[in-house]
Amino acid sequence: MNMKEVYKMKKFFLGITLMFIMFFTTSYLSLNAYGFGFTKNPDHNTPEIGKYKAILEKTNSYYVGDTNQYEVYLTFDAGYDNGELPKILDILDEKNVKASFFLTGDFVKRFPELTIRMAHEGHTICNHTYSHADITKISKEELQVELTKLEEAYHNLTGMYMVKYFRPPEGSFDEKSLSNVNELGYKTVFWSSAYCDWNTNGQKSVEYTKEVYLNNLHKGAILLMHSVSSSNREALSTIIDEVLSLGYEFKTVTSL
């Protein structure tokens, strides 16, 4: 075998080795990934999250607030706008309720007026990563870029600073990724009440939406809504009125 053939052989084996390294690294990053979920109950008790509880407790993460207080946290994930968010903001303004919004970089870039409006109307603006990244598939360094890039875009637009509260895109997480978030100085916020409201082509009835949030209401509840849902917008005013009539107070995630 001449030197040229030896070189080609080494290059081939080096390529194969790099492929295996990339494969196992990617597999390791997402090997123990979960999608957040909880067990509903109609008794207005704190939903159970099973094995997730220990992981959340170790990583400065939340899915409920103070379960001894009549408090509710109204949160919205906003990756884009389809005309529903301005109406949602109108309702929140009318009811004098402040919510927590988890934004992406694409939202800040494409909808600067709405971003500025939310900030100036006193809502709490939180981090949902710049590119809606799956945090179980990226390194700590890549996560830091995702978080800080969004913060910088938000600050450059509004002149204000984004709070250090974070929600994983699609609720995807594992202990390592949540530890990375915590080590970077953020608190992670999941939820204790939600449904598939993000599917704009399959919206539930207004009655169904009200039942989801009111029948499972509990002390310290964190309600997850998506800002593109017409059902949420149509039910929101009634939900707020009902929650307040039951003696609850709305708070933002900075109270966690």
Side-chain angles (χ1 to χ4, degrees):
M1 185 179 294
N2 58 39
M3 291 301 297
K4 186 175 182 180
E5 291 173 329
V6 170
Y7 173 75
K8 286 183 178 180
M9 187 65 69
K10 287 183 177 180
K11 189 174 181 181
F12 171 78
F13 281 111
L14 177 60
I16 292 294
T17 301
L18 289 174
M19 287 176 62
F20 273 105
I21 291 173
M22 292 173 65
F23 172 78
F24 283 114
T25 301
T26 303
S27 299
Y28 175 76
L29 285 170
S30 58
L31 182 62
N32 297 309
Y34 306 109
F36 186 75
F38 56 90
T39 302
K40 295 180 181 180
N41 68 80
D43 303 316
H44 304 288
N45 295 324
T46 306
E48 295 293 332
I49 59 171
K51 63 184 179 182
Y52 301 158
K53 186 174 182 180
I55 297 175
L56 267 60
E57 288 176 347
K58 287 192 289 186
T59 57
N60 209 13
S61 303
Y62 299 82
Y63 80 104
V64 292
D66 190 338
T67 56
N68 294 311
Q69 300 296 324
Y70 283 94
E71 300 172 351
V72 173
Y73 299 80
L74 182 58
T75 73
F76 291 88
D77 285 1
Y80 71 99
D81 179 59
N82 61 346
E84 297 294 345
L85 183 51
K87 302 167 189 175
I88 289 172
L89 291 174
D90 289 343
I91 295 169
L92 294 175
D93 183 55
E94 176 190 345
K95 300 294 182 181
N96 194 29
V97 169
K98 304 305 179 187
S100 304
F101 288 88
F102 292 83
L103 306 186
T104 64
D106 188 58
F107 184 94
V108 172
K109 181 179 179 180
R110 293 173 58 199
F111 306 102
E113 295 85 0
L114 282 175
T115 303
I116 292 170
R117 178 181 174 184
M118 284 186 286
H120 287 184
E121 291 185 357
H123 299 292
T124 298
I125 311 303
C126 311
N127 208 309
H128 202 39
T129 73
Y130 190 88
S131 63
H132 205 255
D134 183 340
I135 63 171
T136 69
K137 296 180 179 179
I138 59 177
S139 67
K140 182 179 178 180
E141 292 73 24
E142 290 170 322
L143 173 63
Q144 185 173 25
V145 171
E146 284 281 339
L147 297 174
T148 56
K149 187 176 180 181
L150 175 56
E151 288 179 341
E152 290 169 359
Y154 175 76
H155 178 65
N156 291 338
L157 174 66
T158 66
M160 302 171 73
Y161 292 96
M162 186 173 282
V163 298
K164 300 289 185 177
Y165 288 79
F166 168 76
R167 175 168 286 159
E170 299 183 359
S172 182
F173 73 101
D174 56 20
E175 184 172 341
K176 177 60 176 175
S177 60
L178 292 187
S179 294
N180 287 341
V181 173
N182 186 34
E183 290 167 8
L184 290 171
Y186 298 78
K187 294 180 180 179
T188 297
V189 183
F190 289 100
W191 54 87
S192 61
S193 186
Y195 73 103
C196 296
D197 60 339
W198 47 265
N199 183 3
T200 56
N201 294 319
Q203 289 290 286
K204 301 292 186 179
S205 69
V206 174
E207 287 303 316
Y208 177 89
T209 303
K210 290 189 291 186
E211 288 176 5
V212 164
Y213 293 113
L214 296 175
N215 288 0
N216 299 285
L217 190 65
H218 60 89
K219 294 177 182 178
I222 299 178
L223 312 184
L224 164 61
M225 295 185 175
H226 284 82
S227 61
V228 295
S229 168
S230 59
S231 297
N232 286 344
R233 186 259 305 164
E234 292 172 9
L236 184 58
S237 183
T238 300
I239 290 172
I240 290 174
D241 289 343
E242 288 289 329
V243 169
L244 292 173
S245 72
L246 292 169
Y248 286 85
E249 179 184 1
F250 282 100
K251 291 195 170 185
T252 69
V253 296
T254 54
S255 296
L256 290 172

